[in-house]
Amino acid sequence: MTPSPAAKPAATGPVAVQADRGAGTVQTLLDGLRDADPALVLVFGARGDDLAGLSRGLREGLGPDCTIAGCSSAGEIGPAGYASDSIVAIGFPAAGFRAGAVVLDNLAGLPVSDWMAALRRLHESFAPDPRRSLFGLLLVDGIAGQEDALVATIDAALPSVPTLGGSAGDGLEFRRTTLLAGDAVMTNAAIFLLVETDLAVSEVTFAHFSPTETRAVVTAAIPDKRRILELNAEPAAAEYARIVGVPVDRLTPTEFARHPLLLRMGKRHHVRAISAVTEDRGLSLMSAIDTGTVLTVGRAGDLTQGFAEALESLPRPPLMVLGFDCILRRLALERAGLVQAMSDLFTRYRVAGFNTYGEQHSGMHVNQTFVGLAFMPAQDAAASPVGETGNPDAA
């Protein structure tokens, strides 16, 4: 009698580990990651050359077959929720995951044809298994200002691959962000990861804003710098301050988070987040803008309940949720005194990731949004395709 083949072990979810920055960082991360035998490790939080040192230490402990990528952040999400000045590493076990990576460099030059060719080569060489879930992850320089063109390029080159991601951060400095691919640390670049898994995967999106009746027209802008010079034919900072009811000398990232500018596209509103008042009294944005654009002032709504509802609507409890959470959402939570409440939700639903300078989802670059991927046990041998849950205004 021929014995029945052994059942394939159930794939396990990603493992998140957090460590303080310092001499023992690498060892703490390795202690938490090694048993997972990861095929892919994402590292969030360190800056500059610190990323390269972390990568070398992790590679020595995990071996050359593990793909390592990461970026600097504006804050981290670890096993206990929100954190700052720490390192979060997420390991994707080789037993249930496979990953490939490509660097898309020279963002300033916009070599779109080269990017498309590199993405298609990666997809062809990866040879995805149609029985498994396939998705893309994007980490991108959050200062270079080319996310809109980049995500459109990825969507055009790999239209069948749902892709999410986040723009690297630099605390609240908005000066220089860094990315890690292997042992190479870089700026003015993006890292695209193609990932395949036996698990079911579902997108989770959430935005906590709604449009008001107040509108403004961009009457002068510098599109390639994402800068508004005039709103309603008035200096941009002064007019924005007037329509939101805040003195111009009190415009801070927290106020920008409370009063976002929204751009309507189809039936959805997308935040065109403000990062700073410029020296010429204009407004520096975190997404694309152009002269003639009509913007609507947004109103911040409930920051926690809707997020919990989005996660509760998942078909099964998640093993982990990889999260890209805009720094402006975190600032809004801090102002509302809800950081611990959100951290408790992150812990309950096993959310791990980082605070971004923008999020990528559905072929768009957006702001002030939570975008994530929930990993769940598959119901049968073939993992479910990537689905979506969340509120309709979070695109």
Side-chain angles (χ1 to χ4, degrees), residues 13 137 140 145 177 189 200 246 263 284 334 361 369 382:
L137 296 176
V140 55
T177 67
V246 176
L263 172 64
S284 180
E334 289 176 356
H361 174 252
T369 302

Side-chain angles (χ1 to χ4, degrees), residues 25-26 28 44 82 107 130 183 191 244 255 279 303 316 365 383:
T25 300
V26 171
T28 299
F44 303 128
Y82 279 134
L107 294 185
D183 293 336
I191 303 163
V244 301
E255 293 300 334
E279 293 181 358
L303 289 158
R316 292 179 292 289
H365 172 60

